Amino acid sequence: MKKELHIFFTCLMFYTRIPCPKNITHHPDYLNKATRYFPFIGWIVGTISFLAYSIFAQFLSSEIAVILAIIASILTTGAFHEDGFADVCDGFGGGWTKEKILMIMKDSAIGAYGAIGLVLLFLLKFKLLSESVLLFTNNILLIFLLFISAHSISRLAAISIIFTHEYSRDDASSKSKPIAKQYTWKEVFGSFFFGLIPLIAFSYFDLKFLLAIIPVFITRYFLARYFQKWIDGYTGDCLGATQQVCEVVFYLSILFLWKFI
C-alpha cells in the first residue's frame, strides 16, 4: 500500500500542481508505473473543475461558471496538456520532416499555429461544455459525472497510445520519456479501470452515453496514426494534444447523442 501511494503521488505531482509529500520525486521507476493512475488524475481535475462550476453557477451565469471551471482545471494541471496541444500545433503545422517537427515541439516559445490552435480549442471547449451542462441543469450528479467522465476518458485515450506505439525521440531530453520505457498489465488494467468507471456510472442514467467512447477512440486512433506517419511514434506533447482533443470530442459526442439518438 505504501508503494502504491508513492506511485500515485508521483503521478499526481507529475501531472498536476497539487502539493505532494516532500519525498515524492520524478523517479523513473515510479513514473513508469504511475501511468496506471493517469485517468484517475482526471477524476481529481474533473472534480475540481466541477466544484468551481457549481460554486460560481450559484451567483453567476452558467457560461461564466463554465469559463471559471475551465480556468480551475488549467490551474490544477499547470496547463500541462494545453501546452502539449500548442506544441503539436506548432510542430506539425510548421515542420515537414521528423527532425524539424521534433525540434519545433521542443522549443518553449509558442508560434502562430499554437496560438490559433489554443484559441479555437478553448472556444470549442467553452461552447460545448456550456451546452452540455445545460442538458442536465436539474441534475447536479449528472453534471459532476459529465466533468469527470470527460477528463478520465480523454486521459485514457491519451495514455493508451504508449501501449500501442513507440516513443519518438531518440534522446533522453524529455522528462516524459520514462513513461514510455516499459509497462505491465497493472498499468494497462489501472488505466482502463480508472478511465472507464466514470463513463459507466454516467451511462447508468442513460445507456446511450456509453457510445461516446466510440468517437473518442476513433479520434485517438487517427491521431496516433498521424503521429506515427510523421514522427514514427509519439512524444509527451502528442499525449497532451490527444487528451485535449479527445476531451472536446467527448463533449461533442454527448451533445450529439442527446439530441439525435
Side-chain angles (χ1 to χ4, degrees):
M1 179 59 70
K2 185 177 180 180
K3 183 178 179 181
E4 285 299 318
L5 281 174
H6 195 124
I7 294 171
F8 167 72
F9 280 121
T10 299
C11 187
L12 187 67
M13 184 173 72
F14 187 77
Y15 292 110
T16 75
R17 295 291 179 87
I18 297 174
C20 294
K22 293 182 178 180
N23 66 319
I24 304 300
T25 65
H26 291 144
H27 192 282
D29 288 343
Y30 286 108
L31 188 56
N32 186 61
K33 294 181 176 64
T35 56
R36 70 186 70 168
Y37 292 115
F38 182 45
F40 185 70
I41 298 301
W43 295 28
I44 298 172
V45 177
T47 298
I48 292 172
S49 184
F50 163 76
L51 289 174
Y53 169 80
S54 59
I55 291 171
F56 288 111
Q58 299 302 312
F59 52 89
L60 296 172
S61 70
S62 178
E63 290 189 341
I64 294 177
V66 165
I67 293 174
L68 293 170
I70 293 173
I71 292 174
S73 69
I74 292 172
L75 291 175
T76 302
T77 63
F80 192 67
H81 309 301
E82 290 81 0
D83 178 66
F85 175 81
D87 286 342
V88 165
C89 290
D90 280 332
F92 288 88
W96 294 99
T97 65
K98 174 181 177 179
E99 292 72 23
K100 185 66 174 178
I101 292 171
L102 292 176
M103 183 182 71
I104 294 174
M105 286 200 292
K106 192 176 179 181
D107 189 347
S108 59
I110 187 171
Y113 291 106
I116 294 169
L118 283 176
V119 169
L120 295 176
L121 175 77
F122 288 133
L123 283 174
L124 264 176
K125 190 180 294 189
F126 161 69
K127 188 60 177 175
L128 292 172
L129 186 52
S130 295
E131 291 194 16
S132 295
V133 296
L134 289 178
L135 298 178
F136 315 116
T137 303
N138 298 321
N139 194 326
I140 196 69
L141 177 58
L142 277 176
I143 295 177
F144 171 63
L145 290 173
L146 171 72
F147 273 87
I148 63 170
S149 295
H151 283 276
S152 62
I153 197 68
S154 61
R155 282 166 172 78
L156 170 60
I159 207 66
S160 67
I161 292 178
I162 75 168
F163 304 143
T164 57
H165 293 72
E166 295 294 324
Y167 190 76
S168 180
R169 295 188 187 275
D170 297 324
D171 55 64
S173 60
S174 172
K175 69 178 182 179
S176 299
K177 189 171 184 178
I179 69 173
K181 288 183 177 180
Q182 58 183 350
Y183 60 88
T184 67
W185 67 268
K186 292 181 180 179
E187 282 69 62
V188 177
F189 176 80
S191 296
F192 277 86
F193 177 81
F194 291 118
L196 294 176
I197 286 297
L199 180 58
I200 292 173
F202 190 38
S203 302
Y204 173 79
F205 295 90
D206 195 326
L207 194 59
K208 66 186 177 187
F209 291 147
L210 193 60
L211 296 175
I213 195 174
I214 298 174
V216 167
F217 271 83
I218 289 176
T219 302
R220 176 263 186 212
Y221 168 77
F222 282 106
L223 284 173
R225 195 171 84 163
Y226 183 75
F227 299 146
Q228 182 68 36
K229 174 184 176 181
W230 285 98
I231 61 173
D232 300 321
Y234 70 92
T235 67
D237 288 331
C238 295
L239 299 184
T242 301
Q243 187 277 318
Q244 287 292 294
V245 173
C246 286
E247 182 183 342
V248 168
V249 169
F250 178 80
Y251 296 135
L252 181 61
S253 301
I254 293 300
L255 283 173
F256 181 87
L257 289 168
W258 182 268
K259 292 183 178 181
F260 300 108
I261 296 181

